[in-house]
Amino acid sequence: MKIKEICPICLKEAGGHLLQNSSNENYYGFTEYSDLKDYQTFKCGNNHTFYAVYRRPDYTFLFDDSIKSFKNGYYYESIATAYSAYERFNRIVVLAMIYSETKDISKTDEIFKNNKRNSTIIEGMAQTNLESKFEITAKPHSKLKKIRNDTLHGYQIASKDNAKKVMIYVFQYINEIELKFQQMNDENQYFLTSYYNKRISMLKNLKSSTELFKDSLIDNVNSASVISPDINRTTFSDSEDELFDQILNYKYINAY
């Protein structure tokens, strides 16, 4: 999954002038998104290496990439990345649950790593704990897995209609859970974001304390996504056709 950012070093060399609307591609850096580190490494057209720390989890990038693939007519890729967003969201839910008990990022990661689970088990853990701890009963549409399995592992050729359905089903599932947490009036409102925000806070001092990141780190607070918990919530339509139109036309960034 390719992502794009403007180079902060080019920006500095230009005297701080905003270059976001520039047509000069040399000002931009591209990279393949990696979940192996908590930051992403870019190289711009002027050969500067720079880094970005994102304040939104990886499932949002996957969903944005699904939108891009759909718009370009790559329906197999759109189905695959939308379903990956669903799986990664469930993973974040489980990590947040472990962190709520340990209050320690390293211990949380170690526990998760040492108890290797496949996506089906993680899905069950996420949904069971959401219901038992928060009375959040959220299940994906009954056709989600069938469309995904028939397309990725079966006989069915990826179609525009099925890609649309998978994106809608994944969006509805994630958005429903996020909204229910945001509507809570206690500390549980931040349950989903606590783990991820804690990870990000550990990187706050990298720019000043690590020579590697000097003058070349983007602390990307404003990185938005149609499915991100960090944006001002939009009122989404109950009509699937209208909802899908909203999803496709949301002004998301970073996924290219």
Side-chain angles (χ1 to χ4, degrees):
M1 177 174 57
K2 184 178 285 188
I3 54 176
K4 171 184 176 182
E5 286 292 350
I6 194 163
C7 174
I9 303 173
C10 288
L11 185 63
K12 184 177 180 181
E13 291 179 350
H17 299 294
L18 293 177
L19 304 175
Q20 278 81 349
N21 295 322
S22 173
S23 59
N24 189 340
E25 284 296 308
N26 285 336
Y27 292 144
Y28 296 91
F30 294 83
T31 193
E32 290 294 325
Y33 186 92
S34 170
D35 63 355
L36 299 178
K37 294 181 179 179
D38 290 325
Y39 59 88
Q40 305 299 315
T41 303
F42 297 81
K43 181 168 282 190
C44 74
N46 291 319
N47 211 34
H48 300 134
T49 298
F50 64 98
Y51 309 88
V53 175
Y54 290 104
R55 292 182 174 271
R56 61 181 174 105
D58 52 16
Y59 66 84
T60 64
F61 286 95
L62 287 163
F63 197 83
D64 289 351
D65 200 50
S66 179
I67 295 173
K68 178 197 71 173
S69 296
F70 184 91
K71 287 182 174 181
N72 289 330
Y74 300 121
Y75 303 127
Y76 181 95
E77 289 78 4
S78 181
I79 290 171
T81 49
Y83 197 86
S84 292
Y86 168 76
E87 292 180 324
R88 298 297 286 195
F89 176 77
N90 286 326
R91 179 177 179 271
I92 287 288
V93 171
V94 172
L95 284 164
M97 288 171 178
I98 298 172
Y99 176 72
S100 69
E101 300 293 333
T102 66
K103 302 298 182 185
D104 184 285
I105 291 294
S106 296
K107 287 182 180 178
T108 297
D109 291 348
E110 183 178 357
I111 291 170
F112 188 86
K113 182 179 179 180
N114 290 339
N115 292 273
K116 294 181 179 178
R117 306 176 178 94
N118 61 37
S119 60
T120 301
I121 295 174
I122 290 173
E123 174 190 53
M125 290 177 63
Q127 293 170 5
T128 298
N129 280 278
L130 284 171
E131 186 169 0
S132 63
K133 291 185 177 181
F134 303 105
E135 298 183 354
I136 294 178
T137 303
K139 304 291 184 184
H141 195 284
S142 59
K143 293 182 180 179
L144 174 61
K145 281 190 177 182
K146 179 171 174 32
I147 294 174
R148 181 259 189 186
N149 290 338
D150 287 350
T151 303
L152 272 58
H153 303 301
Y155 60 90
Q156 191 164 274
I157 295 176
S159 68
K160 182 177 182 178
D161 185 58
N162 278 341
K164 173 182 174 180
K165 288 177 181 177
V166 167
M167 292 170 68
I168 289 173
Y169 298 158
V170 171
F171 180 88
Q172 289 174 330
Y173 172 79
I174 294 176
N175 190 58
E176 179 183 358
I177 294 172
E178 286 182 348
L179 279 177
K180 285 181 177 177
F181 274 113
Q182 291 175 13
Q183 290 165 356
M184 293 180 181
N185 296 318
D186 55 21
E187 62 181 13
N188 288 329
Q189 182 179 18
Y190 307 103
F191 174 79
L192 273 185
T193 55
S194 60
Y195 164 79
Y196 192 77
N197 286 341
K198 183 63 176 178
R199 292 197 70 92
I200 297 305
S201 69
M202 294 170 65
L203 294 167
K204 270 189 172 181
N205 297 323
L206 280 176
K207 188 172 183 178
S208 59
S209 64
T210 308
E211 185 66 25
L212 173 68
F213 292 93
K214 186 178 180 182
D215 297 325
S216 61
L217 177 68
I218 303 171
D219 184 7
N220 205 323
V221 179
N222 297 316
S223 177
S225 165
V226 68
I227 204 166
S228 172
D230 298 325
I231 63 171
N232 292 325
R233 300 306 307 187
T234 300
T235 301
F236 293 103
S237 175
D238 292 330
S239 161
E240 289 192 353
D241 287 337
E242 291 179 3
L243 170 61
F244 192 66
D245 186 62
Q246 287 179 291
I247 291 172
L248 289 186
N249 290 293
Y250 188 85
K251 302 300 182 183
Y252 67 94
I253 57 176
N254 295 110
Y256 288 84

